[in-house]
Structures are given as structure tokens and as C-alpha cells.
Amino acid sequence: MAVCQRLVQAQHKFKTLSNANNGAELAQVIQLSSLYTDRVLEDIHKEYGSWDVLEMQPTRGVWDEIAVAHFQAAAAYRLRSFVDAYTCQLSSFNAFLRIFRNMTQWSLPVLYTLSRDLCDVAQRADNQLAASSSQGGKLEEATRAINQGFSLCMTDREPLLGKSRKWGTFRMANILFALYVRHKAYNLCDSMIRALKASELPPLEEFPMSDQVTFRYYRGMLAFRNEKYTAAKEDLLFALEHCFRDSYNNKTRILVCLTPIMMAEGRAPHSRLLRRYPPIKAMYGELAKAAKAGNLRRFDELLQEKEQLFVNTGTFIAVERVRKVAIRQLLRKIYVITGQNSRMSFQMLCDGFAAAGITDIDIPEMESVLADLVFCGYIKGYLSHDHGIAVLSKLQPFPPL
């Protein structure tokens, strides 16, 4: 069996970097798209005319196994044989996990790189399989493998905290969040948050800011989906304020969830924000204008027009809450037009709504709407069912939102 000396040199480099605990450089060279990987593959191809020799190389240890599988994956990737590339990358990843359990913090960059490459090639493999009408499932399999890496970080028992793999917990959690959200496995996201809360980890504030921002975005997004808007607002605001300044796409994703929360509090998005983020303007600009103006008819038209968009982005329920702001503003208009009388009959309010183009609301529904607005603090006062009137507070009947 011919031994490929260029590959032997690469195996030696991997082992040397590992023995020196040089995780940063090792993570660079072990990327599927690294310049080092390109050079090794180019040298092998020049010498042998193909990469078939990679299939015949003996291995004498775990790092040899990792290196051979890595270059096999990289070669298949360049040939656009993504299913084969995935199989080899998974072998490399699993072999690394066998020794990772005995490593310390220095090895975390290698785990991150292998995890990201595994996700990428798994998605490409699934796409390739789908194009040929074959069964996929590679990304789900990759998710289970990456979850093992996450567990090895979270449950590390290294007594010296500075050397602990626990410092990789939130980075790996964020990789898993992205995968779970892609699968719409939100129950697994919730389970992971509970596991993180119960584990003995350093405070989140001590982790790198990038890990904090990404984690709090996902936690806020999940709270948003669960209609826990106060908690969602806190996390999403933190993510927005600490996100890298030029991360346009990330900030747009944050604002998709955060904007309707703020609108429901009566805080319309600023014109400068809408100019900077056209997707947010397209989603919420006209709605915010209609709500602020109390143009309930226009608001309902926009809500119906954009319903599918809001359903697809998971924001429909949150946007529906903004309707209360539009109703409050319309009621305030009626209150001012009728002379700011603190005693307003339900029938008079129905007539006011009809004049504004809302003709399908009757007295029982109006009473229900008013009760909800009082309960939510949008208006101050009380209702008299027997007399059919709303008695508004003489001091700030429409408190600032």
C-alpha cells in the first residue's frame, strides 16, 4: 500500500498543534475551506492525479483518523459529492469527540470549526438528496452529533475553571438553537434553556459578548413565540444594543420580533430606523402609521393584506396586539370630538366607530373591547353595564403609553 507522504505531513501537523495545545491554529487548518487544506489537496492531486489515494491511507491513532477523514471530506466537497463529504466529515467529528472529552478549554475552537463545517455539509447533502428525490435526514443526524459536543462542554468537571470546556457551552448552544429553529423543534430549544439554567455554569455575563448576544436573541425569540413579551423585550433589546454595529441581517432578524412588542406599547418605529431597515419598513411601517393615527379601518386592511407574511414569520399574534393601540387612538379621537365628556355611552362609541368605517361592531362587542382596554391600562375608567356607559377618569383618561 502506497503511503502518501503529503498526507503523513498533514497528520503530523495536526498532532503537533494538538500536543502544543494550539487550538486557534488547529481550528484554522482543519476547516474544510482553509488554505492549508487546499494546498494539501492540490499537492496530493499533482502527485497522484486524483484523490483516490486518500481512501488507502493507514491510521495509527485518533488524530490520523481525524486527518484522513477531514481530507476525504474536503476532497468530496470540492467534487460536489456532498453526501460523501458529509459521511467523512461526520467520521472526523465523531473521532474528535472521542478525545475531546479529555481535553481542556484550548480545544474549543476546533470543536466550533468542526461543528460549523458539519452543519454546512449536512445541509448541502440534504439538498443534493432532495434534488434526486432521495431521503435526507443528514442535518438531523448532524444535530444529534453536535448535541454530544454541547453536553461534553456543559458537563465538564475540570476543577480549574480557566481550563474548563464549560466556556464553550453557550457557543455550542447557539449552534444548536440555529439547527432546532431550522427544524422548527422549538420544544428542544425550551428544553435546552432549562438544562442551561439548571447547570453549574459561570454567569452568562462572563462569556464572550458574541455568545451573549446570540443566546439572548434566541431566548428572546422563543419568549416572543410563547407570548412572554416582557421577557422577550428585555432579551431582544440587549441583543440589538450589543449586536455588532454593521450586522445588518442580524439586527433585521431582531427587529422583526422586537418591533411589534414596542408598537403594542405605543412606541412606533422611528423614521430613521425604517429608512435603515427596509424589510422592517415593509412589514410594519404602514401598520405603525395607521395605529398611531387611530385609523382602525386601514389597520385591519393592512393586517389582512399581510396576514400570510406575519404567519410565516411567527409575528401575527404580536401584531394583533397592536390593534389595541389603534382602537385606543380612535376612542381618543371620539372623546376629543365629543367635547371630552367623561361619560360616554356604548351606543355613541359604536356610532363613532361606524363614522370611522368600522360598521360591524355592536354594543356587547364594544363593551368587551372597552373592558379589555381598561384591563390592559390603555384607558382609565370603569364600565357601567346597567347604564350602558363608560365612565372615564377625569385625570388622564388616556394615559401615555
Coordinates of all heavy atoms in Angstrom, one line a residue, residues 54-125:
L54 N -6.4 8.9 -0.9 CA -6.9 9.2 0.5 C -7.7 8.0 1.0 O -7.8 7.8 2.3 CB -7.8 10.4 0.4 CG -7.1 11.7 0.1 CD1 -8.1 12.8 -0.1 CD2 -6.1 12.1 1.2
E55 N -8.2 7.2 0.2 CA -9.0 6.0 0.6 C -8.2 4.9 1.1 O -8.7 3.9 1.7 CB -9.9 5.5 -0.5 CG -10.8 6.6 -1.2 CD -11.8 7.1 -0.2 OE1 -12.3 6.4 0.7 OE2 -12.3 8.3 -0.4
M56 N -6.9 4.9 0.9 CA -6.0 3.8 1.1 C -5.0 4.1 2.2 O -4.0 3.3 2.4 CB -5.2 3.4 -0.2 CG -6.2 3.0 -1.3 SD -5.3 2.6 -2.8 CE -4.6 4.2 -3.3
Q57 N -5.2 5.1 3.0 CA -4.1 5.5 4.0 C -4.4 4.8 5.3 O -5.5 4.8 5.8 CB -4.1 7.0 4.2 CG -3.7 7.8 2.9 CD -2.3 7.3 2.4 OE1 -1.3 7.4 3.1 NE2 -2.3 6.7 1.2
P58 N -3.3 4.2 5.9 CA -3.4 3.6 7.2 C -3.5 4.7 8.3 O -3.0 5.8 8.1 CB -2.1 2.8 7.3 CG -1.1 3.6 6.5 CD -1.9 4.1 5.3
T59 N -4.1 4.4 9.4 CA -4.2 5.3 10.5 C -3.7 4.6 11.8 O -4.0 3.4 12.0 CB -5.6 5.7 10.8 OG1 -6.5 4.6 11.0 CG2 -6.2 6.5 9.6
R60 N -2.9 5.3 12.5 CA -2.3 4.7 13.7 C -2.7 5.5 15.0 O -2.0 5.3 16.0 CB -0.7 4.8 13.6 CG -0.2 4.0 12.4 CD 1.3 4.0 12.3 NE 1.8 3.2 11.2 CZ 3.1 3.1 10.9 NH1 4.0 3.8 11.6 NH2 3.4 2.3 9.9
G61 N -3.7 6.2 14.9 CA -4.1 7.0 16.1 C -5.3 7.8 15.8 O -5.7 7.9 14.6
V62 N -5.9 8.4 16.8 CA -7.2 9.2 16.5 C -6.9 10.4 15.6 O -7.7 10.7 14.7 CB -7.8 9.7 17.9 CG1 -9.0 10.5 17.6 CG2 -8.1 8.5 18.8
W63 N -5.8 11.1 15.8 CA -5.5 12.3 15.0 C -5.3 11.9 13.5 O -5.6 12.6 12.6 CB -4.3 13.1 15.6 CG -4.8 14.1 16.6 CD1 -4.5 14.1 17.9 CD2 -5.7 15.2 16.3 NE1 -5.2 15.1 18.5 CE2 -5.9 15.8 17.6 CE3 -6.3 15.7 15.2 CZ2 -6.7 17.0 17.7 CZ3 -7.1 16.9 15.3 CH2 -7.3 17.5 16.6
D64 N -4.6 10.7 13.3 CA -4.5 10.2 12.0 C -5.9 10.0 11.4 O -6.2 10.3 10.2 CB -3.7 8.9 12.0 CG -2.2 9.1 12.1 OD1 -1.8 10.2 12.2 OD2 -1.5 8.1 12.3
E65 N -6.8 9.4 12.2 CA -8.2 9.1 11.7 C -8.9 10.4 11.4 O -9.6 10.5 10.4 CB -8.9 8.3 12.8 CG -10.3 7.9 12.4 CD -11.0 7.1 13.5 OE1 -10.2 6.6 14.4 OE2 -12.2 7.0 13.5
I66 N -8.7 11.4 12.3 CA -9.4 12.7 12.1 C -8.9 13.4 10.8 O -9.6 13.9 10.0 CB -9.1 13.6 13.3 CG1 -9.8 13.1 14.5 CG2 -9.6 15.1 13.0 CD1 -9.4 13.8 15.8
A67 N -7.5 13.3 10.6 CA -6.9 14.0 9.4 C -7.4 13.3 8.1 O -7.7 14.0 7.2 CB -5.4 14.0 9.6
V68 N -7.3 12.0 8.1 CA -7.7 11.3 6.8 C -9.2 11.6 6.5 O -9.5 11.9 5.4 CB -7.5 9.8 7.0 CG1 -8.1 9.0 5.8 CG2 -6.0 9.5 7.0
A69 N -10.0 11.5 7.5 CA -11.5 11.8 7.2 C -11.7 13.2 6.8 O -12.5 13.5 6.0 CB -12.3 11.4 8.5
H70 N -10.9 14.1 7.4 CA -11.0 15.5 7.1 C -10.7 15.8 5.6 O -11.5 16.4 4.9 CB -10.1 16.4 7.9 CG -9.8 17.7 7.4 ND1 -10.8 18.7 7.4 CD2 -8.7 18.3 6.8 CE1 -10.3 19.8 6.9 NE2 -9.1 19.6 6.5
F71 N -9.6 15.2 5.1 CA -9.2 15.5 3.7 C -10.1 14.7 2.8 O -10.3 15.2 1.6 CB -7.7 15.1 3.6 CG -6.8 16.1 4.2 CD1 -6.1 15.8 5.4 CD2 -6.6 17.4 3.7 CE1 -5.2 16.7 6.0 CE2 -5.8 18.3 4.3 CZ -5.1 18.0 5.4
Q72 N -10.6 13.6 3.2 CA -11.6 12.9 2.4 C -12.8 13.7 2.2 O -13.4 13.8 1.1 CB -11.9 11.5 3.0 CG -10.8 10.5 2.9 CD -11.2 9.2 3.6 OE1 -12.1 9.2 4.5 NE2 -10.5 8.1 3.3
A73 N -13.3 14.3 3.3 CA -14.4 15.2 3.3 C -14.2 16.4 2.4 O -15.0 16.8 1.6 CB -14.8 15.6 4.7
A74 N -13.0 17.0 2.5 CA -12.7 18.2 1.7 C -12.6 17.9 0.3 O -13.0 18.7 -0.6 CB -11.3 18.8 2.2
A75 N -12.0 16.7 -0.1 CA -11.9 16.3 -1.5 C -13.3 16.1 -2.1 O -13.6 16.6 -3.2 CB -11.1 15.1 -1.6
A76 N -14.2 15.4 -1.3 CA -15.5 15.1 -1.8 C -16.3 16.4 -1.9 O -17.1 16.6 -2.9 CB -16.2 14.2 -0.9
Y77 N -16.1 17.4 -1.0 CA -16.7 18.7 -1.1 C -16.4 19.4 -2.3 O -17.2 20.0 -3.0 CB -16.3 19.5 0.2 CG -17.1 20.7 0.4 CD1 -18.2 20.7 1.3 CD2 -16.8 21.9 -0.2 CE1 -18.9 21.9 1.6 CE2 -17.5 23.1 0.1 CZ -18.6 23.0 0.9 OH -19.3 24.2 1.2
R78 N -15.1 19.4 -2.7 CA -14.7 20.1 -3.9 C -15.2 19.4 -5.2 O -15.3 20.1 -6.2 CB -13.1 20.2 -3.9 CG -12.6 21.3 -3.0 CD -11.2 21.0 -2.5 NE -10.8 22.0 -1.5 CZ -11.2 22.1 -0.3 NH1 -12.1 21.3 0.2 NH2 -10.8 23.1 0.5
L79 N -15.5 18.1 -5.1 CA -16.1 17.4 -6.2 C -17.6 17.5 -6.2 O -18.3 16.9 -7.0 CB -15.7 15.9 -6.2 CG -14.2 15.6 -6.4 CD1 -13.9 14.1 -6.1 CD2 -13.8 16.0 -7.8
R80 N -18.1 18.3 -5.2 CA -19.6 18.5 -5.0 C -20.3 17.2 -4.8 O -21.5 17.0 -5.1 CB -20.2 19.2 -6.2 CG -19.5 20.6 -6.5 CD -20.2 21.4 -7.5 NE -21.6 21.8 -7.0 CZ -21.7 22.8 -6.1 NH1 -20.7 23.5 -5.7 NH2 -22.9 23.1 -5.7
S81 N -19.6 16.2 -4.2 CA -20.2 15.0 -3.7 C -20.6 15.2 -2.2 O -19.9 14.6 -1.4 CB -19.3 13.8 -3.9 OG -19.0 13.6 -5.3
F82 N -21.6 15.9 -2.0 CA -21.8 16.4 -0.6 C -22.3 15.3 0.3 O -22.0 15.4 1.5 CB -22.9 17.5 -0.6 CG -22.4 18.7 -1.3 CD1 -23.1 19.3 -2.4 CD2 -21.2 19.4 -1.0 CE1 -22.7 20.4 -3.1 CE2 -20.8 20.5 -1.6 CZ -21.5 21.0 -2.7
V83 N -22.9 14.3 -0.2 CA -23.3 13.1 0.7 C -22.1 12.4 1.2 O -21.9 12.1 2.4 CB -24.2 12.2 -0.1 CG1 -24.6 11.0 0.8 CG2 -25.5 12.9 -0.5
D84 N -21.1 12.2 0.3 CA -19.8 11.5 0.7 C -19.1 12.5 1.6 O -18.4 12.0 2.6 CB -19.0 11.2 -0.5 CG -19.6 10.1 -1.4 OD1 -20.4 9.3 -0.8 OD2 -19.3 10.0 -2.6
A85 N -19.1 13.7 1.3 CA -18.4 14.7 2.2 C -19.0 14.7 3.6 O -18.2 14.8 4.6 CB -18.5 16.1 1.5
Y86 N -20.3 14.6 3.6 CA -20.9 14.6 5.0 C -20.5 13.4 5.7 O -20.2 13.4 6.9 CB -22.5 14.6 4.8 CG -23.1 14.3 6.1 CD1 -23.2 15.2 7.2 CD2 -23.7 13.0 6.3 CE1 -23.8 14.8 8.4 CE2 -24.3 12.7 7.5 CZ -24.3 13.6 8.5 OH -24.9 13.2 9.7
T87 N -20.5 12.2 5.1 CA -20.2 11.0 5.8 C -18.7 11.0 6.4 O -18.5 10.7 7.5 CB -20.2 9.8 4.8 OG1 -21.6 9.7 4.3 CG2 -19.9 8.5 5.5
C88 N -17.8 11.6 5.6 CA -16.4 11.7 6.0 C -16.3 12.8 7.1 O -15.6 12.6 8.1 CB -15.5 12.1 4.9 SG -15.4 10.8 3.6
Q89 N -17.0 13.9 7.0 CA -16.9 15.0 8.0 C -17.5 14.5 9.3 O -17.0 14.8 10.4 CB -17.7 16.2 7.5 CG -17.6 17.4 8.5 CD -16.2 18.0 8.6 OE1 -15.4 17.7 7.8 NE2 -16.0 18.7 9.7
L90 N -18.6 13.7 9.3 CA -19.2 13.1 10.5 C -18.2 12.2 11.1 O -18.1 12.2 12.4 CB -20.5 12.4 10.2 CG -21.2 11.8 11.4 CD1 -21.6 12.9 12.3 CD2 -22.5 11.0 10.9
S91 N -17.5 11.4 10.4 CA -16.4 10.5 10.9 C -15.3 11.3 11.6 O -14.9 10.9 12.7 CB -15.8 9.6 9.8 OG -16.8 8.8 9.2
S92 N -14.9 12.4 11.0 CA -13.9 13.2 11.6 C -14.4 13.8 12.9 O -13.7 13.9 13.9 CB -13.5 14.3 10.6 OG -12.5 15.2 11.1
F93 N -15.6 14.3 12.9 CA -16.2 14.9 14.0 C -16.3 13.9 15.2 O -16.0 14.2 16.3 CB -17.6 15.5 13.7 CG -18.3 16.3 14.8 CD1 -18.0 17.6 15.0 CD2 -19.1 15.6 15.7 CE1 -18.6 18.3 16.0 CE2 -19.8 16.3 16.7 CZ -19.5 17.7 16.9
N94 N -16.9 12.8 14.9 CA -17.0 11.8 16.0 C -15.7 11.3 16.5 O -15.6 11.0 17.7 CB -17.8 10.6 15.4 CG -19.3 10.9 15.3 OD1 -19.9 11.8 16.0 ND2 -20.0 10.2 14.3
A95 N -14.7 11.2 15.7 CA -13.4 10.8 16.1 C -12.8 11.9 17.1 O -12.2 11.5 18.1 CB -12.4 10.6 15.0
F96 N -13.0 13.1 16.7 CA -12.6 14.2 17.6 C -13.3 14.2 18.9 O -12.6 14.4 20.0 CB -12.8 15.6 16.9 CG -12.4 16.7 17.8 CD1 -11.1 17.1 18.0 CD2 -13.4 17.5 18.4 CE1 -10.8 18.1 18.8 CE2 -13.1 18.6 19.2 CZ -11.7 18.9 19.4
L97 N -14.6 13.9 19.0 CA -15.3 13.8 20.2 C -14.7 12.8 21.2 O -14.7 13.0 22.4 CB -16.8 13.5 20.0 CG -17.6 14.6 19.4 CD1 -19.1 14.2 19.4 CD2 -17.5 16.0 20.2
R98 N -14.1 11.7 20.6 CA -13.6 10.7 21.5 C -12.4 11.2 22.3 O -12.2 10.7 23.4 CB -13.1 9.5 20.6 CG -14.2 8.8 19.9 CD -13.9 7.3 19.6 NE -12.7 7.1 18.9 CZ -12.5 7.1 17.6 NH1 -13.6 7.2 16.8 NH2 -11.4 6.9 17.0
I99 N -11.6 12.1 21.8 CA -10.5 12.7 22.5 C -10.9 14.0 23.2 O -10.2 14.4 24.1 CB -9.3 12.8 21.6 CG1 -9.6 13.7 20.4 CG2 -8.7 11.5 21.2 CD1 -8.3 14.0 19.6
F100 N -11.9 14.7 22.7 CA -12.3 16.0 23.2 C -12.7 15.8 24.7 O -12.5 16.8 25.5 CB -13.5 16.5 22.4 CG -14.0 17.8 22.9 CD1 -13.2 19.0 22.8 CD2 -15.3 17.9 23.5 CE1 -13.7 20.2 23.3 CE2 -15.8 19.1 23.9 CZ -15.0 20.3 23.8
R101 N -13.3 14.7 25.1 CA -13.7 14.6 26.5 C -12.6 14.6 27.5 O -12.8 14.8 28.7 CB -14.5 13.3 26.6 CG -13.7 12.0 26.4 CD -14.6 10.7 26.5 NE -15.6 10.7 25.5 CZ -16.9 10.8 25.7 NH1 -17.3 11.1 26.9 NH2 -17.7 10.7 24.6
N102 N -11.3 14.4 27.0 CA -10.2 14.5 27.8 C -9.4 15.8 27.6 O -8.3 15.9 28.2 CB -9.3 13.3 27.6 CG -9.9 12.0 27.9 OD1 -10.6 11.9 29.0 ND2 -9.8 11.0 27.1
M103 N -9.9 16.7 26.8 CA -9.2 18.0 26.5 C -9.8 19.1 27.4 O -10.8 18.9 28.1 CB -9.4 18.3 25.1 CG -8.7 17.4 24.1 SD -9.0 17.8 22.4 CE -7.8 16.8 21.5
T104 N -9.1 20.2 27.3 CA -9.5 21.4 28.1 C -9.9 22.5 27.2 O -10.1 22.3 26.0 CB -8.4 21.8 29.1 OG1 -7.2 22.0 28.3 CG2 -8.1 20.8 30.1
Q105 N -10.0 23.7 27.7 CA -10.5 24.9 27.0 C -9.8 25.1 25.7 O -10.5 25.6 24.7 CB -10.5 26.1 27.9 CG -11.2 27.3 27.3 CD -10.9 28.6 28.1 OE1 -9.9 28.6 28.8 NE2 -11.7 29.6 27.8
W106 N -8.6 24.8 25.6 CA -7.8 25.2 24.4 C -8.4 24.6 23.1 O -8.2 25.1 22.0 CB -6.3 24.7 24.5 CG -6.1 23.3 24.4 CD1 -6.1 22.4 25.5 CD2 -6.0 22.5 23.2 NE1 -5.9 21.1 25.0 CE2 -5.9 21.1 23.6 CE3 -6.0 22.8 21.9 CZ2 -5.7 20.1 22.7 CZ3 -5.8 21.7 21.0 CH2 -5.7 20.4 21.4
S107 N -9.1 23.4 23.3 CA -9.6 22.7 22.1 C -10.9 23.2 21.6 O -11.4 22.7 20.6 CB -9.7 21.2 22.5 OG -10.6 21.0 23.6
L108 N -11.6 24.2 22.3 CA -12.9 24.6 21.9 C -13.0 25.2 20.5 O -13.9 24.9 19.8 CB -13.4 25.7 22.9 CG -13.7 25.1 24.3 CD1 -14.1 26.3 25.3 CD2 -14.9 24.1 24.2
P109 N -12.0 26.0 20.0 CA -12.1 26.5 18.7 C -12.1 25.4 17.6 O -12.8 25.5 16.6 CB -10.8 27.3 18.5 CG -10.4 27.7 19.9 CD -10.8 26.6 20.8
V110 N -11.5 24.2 17.9 CA -11.5 23.1 17.0 C -13.0 22.5 16.9 O -13.5 22.2 15.9 CB -10.5 22.0 17.4 CG1 -10.5 20.9 16.4 CG2 -9.1 22.6 17.5
L111 N -13.6 22.4 18.1 CA -14.9 21.9 18.2 C -15.9 22.8 17.4 O -16.8 22.4 16.7 CB -15.4 21.8 19.6 CG -16.8 21.3 19.8 CD1 -17.0 19.9 19.4 CD2 -17.2 21.5 21.3
Y112 N -15.7 24.1 17.5 CA -16.6 25.1 16.8 C -16.4 24.9 15.3 O -17.4 24.9 14.6 CB -16.2 26.5 17.2 CG -16.3 26.9 18.7 CD1 -15.5 27.9 19.2 CD2 -17.1 26.2 19.6 CE1 -15.5 28.2 20.5 CE2 -17.1 26.5 20.9 CZ -16.3 27.5 21.4 OH -16.4 27.9 22.7
T113 N -15.2 24.8 14.9 CA -15.0 24.7 13.4 C -15.6 23.4 12.9 O -16.2 23.4 11.8 CB -13.5 24.8 13.1 OG1 -13.0 26.0 13.5 CG2 -13.2 24.5 11.7
L114 N -15.3 22.3 13.5 CA -15.8 21.0 13.1 C -17.4 21.0 13.1 O -18.0 20.5 12.2 CB -15.3 19.9 13.9 CG -13.8 19.6 13.8 CD1 -13.4 18.6 14.9 CD2 -13.5 19.0 12.4
S115 N -18.0 21.7 14.1 CA -19.4 21.7 14.2 C -20.0 22.6 13.0 O -21.0 22.2 12.4 CB -19.8 22.3 15.5 OG -19.4 21.5 16.6
R116 N -19.4 23.7 12.7 CA -19.9 24.6 11.7 C -19.8 23.9 10.3 O -20.7 23.9 9.5 CB -19.2 25.9 11.7 CG -19.6 26.9 12.8 CD -19.1 28.3 12.5 NE -17.6 28.3 12.5 CZ -16.9 28.6 13.6 NH1 -17.5 28.8 14.8 NH2 -15.6 28.6 13.5
D117 N -18.7 23.3 10.1 CA -18.5 22.6 8.8 C -19.4 21.4 8.7 O -19.9 21.1 7.6 CB -17.0 22.1 8.7 CG -16.1 23.2 8.3 OD1 -16.6 24.2 7.8 OD2 -14.8 23.0 8.3
L118 N -19.7 20.7 9.8 CA -20.6 19.6 9.7 C -22.0 20.1 9.4 O -22.7 19.4 8.6 CB -20.6 18.8 11.1 CG -21.5 17.6 11.2 CD1 -20.9 16.5 10.2 CD2 -21.5 17.0 12.6
C119 N -22.4 21.2 10.0 CA -23.8 21.7 9.6 C -23.9 22.1 8.2 O -24.8 21.8 7.5 CB -24.0 23.0 10.5 SG -24.3 22.7 12.2
D120 N -22.8 22.8 7.7 CA -22.8 23.2 6.3 C -22.9 22.0 5.3 O -23.8 22.0 4.4 CB -21.5 24.0 6.0 CG -21.4 24.4 4.5 OD1 -22.3 24.9 3.9 OD2 -20.3 24.0 3.9
V121 N -22.1 21.0 5.5 CA -22.0 19.9 4.6 C -23.3 19.1 4.7 O -23.8 18.5 3.7 CB -20.7 19.1 4.7 CG1 -20.8 18.2 6.0 CG2 -20.4 18.3 3.5
A122 N -23.9 19.0 5.9 CA -25.1 18.2 6.1 C -26.2 18.9 5.4 O -27.1 18.2 4.7 CB -25.4 18.1 7.6
Q123 N -26.3 20.2 5.4 CA -27.4 20.9 4.7 C -27.2 20.7 3.2 O -28.2 20.5 2.5 CB -27.4 22.4 5.0 CG -28.5 23.2 4.4 CD -29.8 22.8 4.8 OE1 -30.2 22.9 6.0 NE2 -30.6 22.2 4.0
R124 N -26.0 20.8 2.7 CA -25.8 20.6 1.3 C -26.1 19.1 0.8 O -26.6 18.9 -0.2 CB -24.3 20.9 0.9 CG -24.0 22.4 1.1 CD -22.5 22.7 0.8 NE -22.2 24.1 1.0 CZ -22.3 25.0 0.1 NH1 -22.6 24.7 -1.1 NH2 -21.9 26.3 0.4
A125 N -25.8 18.2 1.7 CA -26.1 16.8 1.4 C -27.6 16.6 1.3 O -28.1 15.9 0.4 CB -25.5 15.9 2.5

